[in-house]
């Protein structure tokens, strides 16, 4: 069966990416950058960014790396370790977890299929009893990862033994979990069927915070990559909120409104509370000026017309991307907490989805978003659809971008994970021996 599925995927490669993206950068711009670098007018970083951007635009289904099929049903989530971007975790609706090494063996010629290093099946000691909805590596140590499941449990796992070391009982179905990449704390933000956001402390094994404000289930959570106390959440109520978790009962900084009903200056004049964001300064990029408080007392503010399925900070933390079951993607300017006038077209969010894993390129200029059985690549600044990645035969549930080589990993409801790369050298070129003579050396 696996050979048949992979065979279909390989046959599909003939028509994958026939619609090539209209390049934002031409070969002439690369040639010019190389020439300027040769004569010392450019430092290496801008050239590196240009090449990375051009590679990000040209991703297609990898001809050299496959991920072996392990799960018997949908893969709900996947994640790469942040330290080496090498080890891939996949979590399935069959309550199984698989760990892969995505590094191609040195000296290997031809295609390579990554086999699982470990697989945890339902029924294994300490395993989840229902589908796993979310999986995340601990940012500072690839020896630890976290899972969230429909069995109401958030599991903390040792990746060496693939055994759970602790289980948090949330008493509600878990849709999404997140760990801060920059924090000194060890808090897990958890989105559940409850209207409250729960924060679990890895250090103590207890619950430290409960953030109340959503009027329905919370579906998505994401920590800021620059501010350790800044958290974004989205819910089934169509609302995206920003929280400063240090504030206690007044934690909500702002409710993001797609109609920009209140500008930042209007918030200040409405007296939306005296505890402005500046009273608890956060380093780096500016944040919304006032907490949410009572600004929505007279008008119903909403971020989307449907349930929110994804919230995602940009790498520079200047903007936030959210998407919804109403097939909309919104970009928010975090300096003013305003909705930016960018329209993303031809998006089809899976009906009934609670959470969908979208991702951004290394510099945040490209958005990769699951759309039915495809992955749409958008230009963030304009919302323009650049290309559609086609190879999956089931709805795409999640994707993640690997920054070091501009590769993309995706998972789908057919239980298959695929790898998308910017193209590799042929094997005979990649492993070519040095043929120079002794005299030429």
């Amino acid at each position: 069966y696996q050979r048949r599925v992979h065979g279909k995927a390989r046959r599909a490669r003939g028509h994958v990416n026939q619609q090539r993206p209209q390049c934002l950068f031409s070969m002439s711009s690369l040639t010019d950058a190389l020439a300027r670098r040769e004569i010392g007018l450019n430092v290496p970083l801008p050239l590196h960014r240009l090449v990375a951007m051009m590679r990000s635009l040209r991703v297609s289904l990898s001809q050299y790396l496959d991920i072996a099929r392990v799960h018997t049903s949908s893969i709900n989530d996947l994640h790469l370790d942040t330290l080496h971007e090498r080890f891939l975790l996949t979590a399935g609706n069959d309550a199984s977890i698989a760990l892969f090494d995505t590094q191609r063996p040195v000296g290997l010629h031809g295609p390579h299929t990554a086999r699982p290093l470990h697989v945890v099946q339902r029924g294994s000691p300490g395993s989840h009893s229902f589908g796993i909805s979310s999986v995340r590596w601990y940012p500072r140590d690839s020896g630890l990862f976290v899972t969230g499941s429909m069995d109401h449990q958030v599991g903390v796992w040792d990746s060496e033994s693939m055994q759970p070391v602790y289980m948090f009982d949330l008493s509600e179905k878990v849709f999404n979990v997140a760990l801060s990449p920059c924090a000194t704390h060890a808090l897990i933000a958890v989105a559940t069927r409850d209207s409250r956001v729960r924060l679990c402390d890895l250090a103590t094994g207890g619950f430290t915070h409960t953030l109340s404000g959503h009027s329905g289930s919370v579906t998505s959570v994401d920590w800021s990559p620059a501010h350790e106390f800044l958290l974004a959440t989205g819910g089934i109520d169509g609302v995206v909120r920003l929280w400063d978790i240090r504030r206690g009962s007044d934690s909500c900084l702002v409710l993001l409104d797609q109609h920009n009903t209140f500008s930042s200056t209007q918030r200040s004049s409405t007296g939306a509370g005296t505890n402005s964001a500046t009273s608890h300064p956060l380093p780096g990029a500016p944040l919304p000026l006032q907490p949410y408080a009572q600004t929505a007392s007279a008008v119903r503010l909403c971020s989307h017309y449907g349930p929110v399925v994804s919230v995602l900070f940009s790498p520079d933390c200047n903007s936030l991307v959210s998407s919804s079951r109403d097939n909309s993607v919104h970009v928010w300017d975090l300096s003013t907490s305003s909705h930016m006038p960018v329209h993303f077209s031809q998006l089809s969010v899976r009906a009934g989805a609670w959470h969908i894993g979208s991702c951004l390129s290394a510099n945040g200029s490209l958005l990769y978003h699951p759309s039915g059985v495809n992955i749409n690549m958008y230009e963030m600044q304009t919302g323009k659809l650049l290309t559609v990645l086609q190879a999956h035969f089931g709805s795409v549930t999640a994707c993640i971008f690997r920054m070091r080589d501009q590769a993309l990993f995706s998972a789908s409801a057919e239980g298959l994970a695929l790898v998308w790369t910017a193209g590799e050298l042929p094997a005979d070129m990649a492993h070519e021996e040095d043929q120079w003579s002794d005299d030429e050396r």
Side-chain angles (χ1 to χ4, degrees):
Y1 178 80
Q2 180 178 332
R3 288 196 297 270
R4 179 168 63 85
V5 172
H6 278 278
K8 286 183 179 180
R10 289 195 178 98
R11 287 194 295 274
R13 286 173 179 155
H15 63 266
V16 169
N17 283 339
Q18 283 187 353
Q19 178 191 353
R20 297 304 303 172
Q22 183 176 350
C23 290
L24 305 177
F25 303 97
S26 64
M27 287 302 297
S28 60
S29 61
L30 178 59
T31 304
D32 179 64
L34 285 170
R36 293 175 63 84
R37 174 62 189 144
E38 284 181 351
I39 60 177
L41 295 179
N42 275 354
V43 294
L45 186 58
L47 178 60
H48 171 77
R49 289 175 175 169
L50 177 61
V51 173
M53 181 63 181
M54 294 182 71
R55 286 176 56 85
S56 301
L57 285 165
R58 297 180 60 83
V59 293
S60 60
L61 196 61
S62 176
Q63 300 289 334
Y64 298 99
L65 181 61
D66 284 324
I67 304 295
R69 183 188 177 99
V70 173
H71 304 278
T72 58
S73 61
S74 170
I75 299 178
N76 292 331
D77 200 11
L78 76 172
H79 199 233
L80 280 168
D81 73 292
T82 54
L83 291 179
H84 308 290
E85 294 186 308
R86 172 178 175 176
F87 298 103
L88 177 72
L89 283 168
T90 58
N93 206 42
D94 57 0
S96 62
I97 308 168
L99 173 63
F100 298 90
D101 184 356
T102 63
Q103 180 90 17
R104 277 174 52 85
V106 177
L108 175 69
H109 294 259
H112 168 61
T113 299
R115 305 289 176 185
L117 301 176
H118 298 282
V119 179
V120 178
Q121 301 285 4
R122 176 186 291 176
S124 301
S127 64
H128 290 289
S129 54
F130 292 101
I132 301 172
S133 55
S134 186
V135 61
R136 289 293 180 271
W137 283 101
Y138 186 64
R140 291 186 174 85
D141 186 359
S142 57
L144 193 70
F145 66 91
V146 174
T147 56
S149 171
M150 294 298 179
D151 64 4
H152 306 175
Q153 304 284 325
V154 170
V156 182
W157 297 74
D158 179 354
S159 61
E160 292 291 334
S161 63
M162 292 300 284
Q163 296 291 324
V165 295
Y166 194 80
M167 286 283 184
F168 294 92
D169 187 0
L170 277 295
S171 302
E172 293 287 351
K173 293 180 179 179
V174 177
F175 298 133
N176 192 214
V177 297
L179 291 155
S180 174
C182 66
T184 55
H185 60 71
L187 299 179
I188 309 170
V190 185
T192 71
R193 196 168 184 174
D194 190 16
S195 61
R196 298 169 298 171
V197 182
R198 304 295 296 275
L199 299 182
C200 309
D201 192 351
L202 283 172
T204 64
F207 301 99
T208 61
H209 292 64
T210 297
L211 306 177
S212 301
H214 286 282
S215 59
S217 303
V218 183
T219 56
S220 299
V221 288
D222 192 36
W223 290 98
S224 164
H227 311 305
E228 63 175 320
F229 301 110
L230 181 62
L231 179 69
T233 63
I236 200 171
D237 54 3
V239 169
V240 176
R241 292 174 179 264
L242 293 177
W243 310 80
D244 181 349
I245 63 169
R246 299 171 297 179
R247 291 177 176 272
S249 60
D250 192 26
S251 294
C252 186
L253 284 173
V254 68
L255 184 157
L256 299 177
D257 174 38
Q258 62 179 325
H259 301 296
N260 294 332
T261 306
F262 295 94
S263 67
S264 59
T265 54
Q266 286 174 318
R267 284 194 183 93
S268 180
S269 64
T270 57
T274 57
N275 290 330
S276 69
T278 55
S279 65
H280 294 287
L282 294 169
L287 293 173
L289 296 179
Q290 298 288 343
Y292 167 60
Q294 303 299 321
T295 55
S297 59
V299 62
R300 170 72 170 91
L301 304 184
C302 67
S303 310
H304 292 270
Y305 291 121
V308 178
V309 295
S310 176
V311 289
L312 184 65
F313 279 97
S314 64
D316 59 9
C317 199
N318 288 329
S319 59
L320 181 79
V321 184
S322 63
S323 59
S324 166
R325 267 193 239 163
D326 63 7
N327 297 326
S328 66
V329 175
H330 291 165
V331 181
W332 309 91
D333 182 352
L334 294 186
S335 64
T336 60
S337 68
S338 60
H339 177 212
M340 300 175 67
V342 181
H343 175 66
F344 296 81
S345 63
Q346 302 181 39
L347 182 68
S348 176
V349 174
R350 177 167 52 94
W354 290 100
H355 177 76
I356 287 180
S358 56
C359 62
L360 294 167
S361 61
N363 60 359
S365 60
L366 298 176
L367 171 67
Y368 301 91
H369 200 292
S371 178
V373 298
N374 304 321
I375 302 171
N376 289 357
M377 181 200 298
Y378 295 99
E379 183 184 3
M380 276 287 291
Q381 188 173 2
T382 64
K384 180 180 180 180
L385 178 62
L386 298 176
T387 191
V388 177
L389 303 177
Q390 301 170 320
H392 283 288
F393 297 95
S395 297
V396 181
T397 56
C399 57
I400 186 167
F401 188 81
R402 185 162 68 184
M403 297 186 183
R404 64 178 169 89
D405 60 352
Q406 295 78 53
L408 187 72
F409 294 80
S410 61
S412 70
E414 86 240 31
L416 197 63
L418 296 179
V419 186
W420 311 78
T421 58
E424 298 101 332
L425 290 173
D428 57 345
M429 293 179 61
H431 304 287
E432 185 178 15
E433 295 290 337
D434 189 352
Q435 301 297 327
W436 286 8
S437 68
D438 292 338
D439 291 340
E440 290 173 319
R441 294 178 191 274

